[in-house]
Amino acid sequence: MSDRLVLLGSKGGPALRPRGPWPTSTLLELGGRTIVVDCGLGVTRGLVDAGSSLKTLDLIFITHLHSDHVLELGPLIHTAWTAGLASPVRIYGPPGTGHYWQCFCQALEFDIEIRIVDEGRPDIRTLVTVEEFAEGLVLDEHGLMVTALRVEHPPVTDCFALRFEHDGRSVVFSSDTAFFPPLAGFAKEADILVHEAMLESGVERLVARTGNGARLREHLFASHSLAEEAGRIARDANVRRLVLTHLIPADDPAVGEADWIAAVRKTWSGDLTIARDGLVVGLSGAKAASGEETA
Ligand SMILES: [Zn+2]
Ligand SMILES: [Zn+2]
């Protein structure tokens, strides 16, 4: 299995629009491990379409508990379980992740109990373990190292960027964050920085269309980064490739890839990918994986 990143869901926020993109989730295949980062709505469909077997679900990381990052965590694992998952799954998430998982299992108690008896399945509640993490080292196992950095996403305080390293390769996820300069140090020399991004002109159009415009505008600018700010982090970190995802707006027909590229090129001249659902980014140096799109 060659290392790759698949952007399963690329939009910011929980809303769905006709034929629009899904909220945030990403598949990272690194060093033979299958790693899911965030579980917004659509993650299960995205993994299946990316050719990933649900039966081999292994490590899941949740960056914070906003619903566009966690809503489908339970349904993903439950669907994998009904598909024949029989090996342990570990969920790493901020404080509160264990509560989510316990409540999910309670909500599905009828179905879980009946399938154990009727279909002879292992107990999903013993297959899954939840590890709640804070800033610092999250996991160091078989050459895979994962570290977390608390980022700036008010009013959420437990929101973490994540860095994955294996055999000299490194991928960093910003999670949701306002412009946060310490992220550049955390992402230093990474092969890929996956950073959230807003397009300023698009946000103004979004705010104008929304009833509660002033409040929304205030939240977005206090809690998220503009594309050019993501570019500054990538430049200061000297990463090999910047991937913009969690796009806001992601479903405005007046906003196209050229607009995102124009914004980020003010601060970043290196390799660049603008996320789209299902897009694959290779991690094998100069050789691009099939389906990879660069700009
Ligand atoms: Zn989000
Ligand atoms: Zn968020």
Side-chain angles (χ1 to χ4, degrees), residues 64 66 68-69 153 156 159 175-176 224 246:
H64 66 301
H66 263 148
D68 54 322
H69 299 253
H153 189 45
V156 180
C159 183
S175 182
D176 287 8
H224 295 279
H246 196 278

Side-chain angles (χ1 to χ4, degrees), residues 61 92 131 133-140 146-148 162:
F61 290 81
Y92 292 84
E131 308 249 0
F133 65 81
E135 200 168 58
L137 182 67
V138 177
L139 176 67
D140 189 356
V146 186
T147 45
L162 292 168

Side-chain angles (χ1 to χ4, degrees), residues 66-117:
H66 263 148
S67 61
D68 54 322
H69 299 253
V70 77
L71 191 62
E72 203 172 298
L73 170 62
L76 165 63
I77 298 171
H78 187 282
T79 305
W81 180 61
T82 58
L85 177 80
S87 52
V89 171
R90 272 178 290 160
I91 306 167
Y92 292 84
T97 307
H99 174 72
Y100 168 101
W101 175 246
Q102 281 161 17
C103 292
F104 175 81
C105 288
Q106 268 171 26
L108 268 289
E109 195 171 21
F110 172 83
D111 181 89
I112 291 169
E113 297 289 357
I114 214 162
R115 284 184 197 279
I116 291 171
V117 175

Side-chain angles (χ1 to χ4, degrees), residues 66-256:
H66 263 148
S67 61
D68 54 322
H69 299 253
V70 77
L71 191 62
E72 203 172 298
L73 170 62
L76 165 63
I77 298 171
H78 187 282
T79 305
W81 180 61
T82 58
L85 177 80
S87 52
V89 171
R90 272 178 290 160
I91 306 167
Y92 292 84
T97 307
H99 174 72
Y100 168 101
W101 175 246
Q102 281 161 17
C103 292
F104 175 81
C105 288
Q106 268 171 26
L108 268 289
E109 195 171 21
F110 172 83
D111 181 89
I112 291 169
E113 297 289 357
I114 214 162
R115 284 184 197 279
I116 291 171
V117 175
D118 189 35
E119 300 171 14
R121 296 192 184 279
D123 191 335
I124 190 172
R125 291 159 294 203
T126 57
L127 273 183
V128 176
T129 53
V130 179
E131 308 249 0
E132 295 184 347
F133 65 81
E135 200 168 58
L137 182 67
V138 177
L139 176 67
D140 189 356
E141 175 186 85
H142 310 311
L144 174 69
M145 186 148 88
V146 186
T147 45
L149 174 74
R150 190 184 300 275
V151 290
E152 189 75 24
H153 189 45
V156 180
T157 51
D158 287 323
C159 183
F160 297 95
L162 292 168
R163 182 178 179 116
F164 295 84
E165 292 175 81
H166 182 273
D167 197 21
R169 295 237 165 90
S170 50
V171 179
V172 175
F173 294 82
S174 72
S175 182
D176 287 8
T177 183
F179 177 59
F180 190 59
L183 195 49
F186 184 69
K188 205 78 192 162
E189 314 285 342
D191 292 294
I192 295 177
L193 169 63
V194 182
H195 202 296
E196 70 125 277
M198 292 190 300
L199 188 71
E200 192 164 17
S201 59
V203 170
E204 297 299 356
R205 288 163 48 83
L206 181 72
V207 164
R209 282 203 314 269
T210 312
N212 194 15
R215 185 89 183 262
L216 175 66
R217 188 179 192 286
E218 199 179 312
H219 162 78
L220 289 175
F221 282 98
S223 312
H224 295 279
S225 302
L226 294 173
E228 40 275 63
E229 292 174 327
R232 277 175 68 185
I233 299 291
R235 187 189 61 200
D236 293 349
N238 194 33
V239 298
R240 281 198 177 172
R241 172 175 297 277
L242 171 63
V243 176
L244 292 190
T245 191
H246 196 278
L247 304 176
I248 301 176
D251 42 23
D252 182 340
V255 171

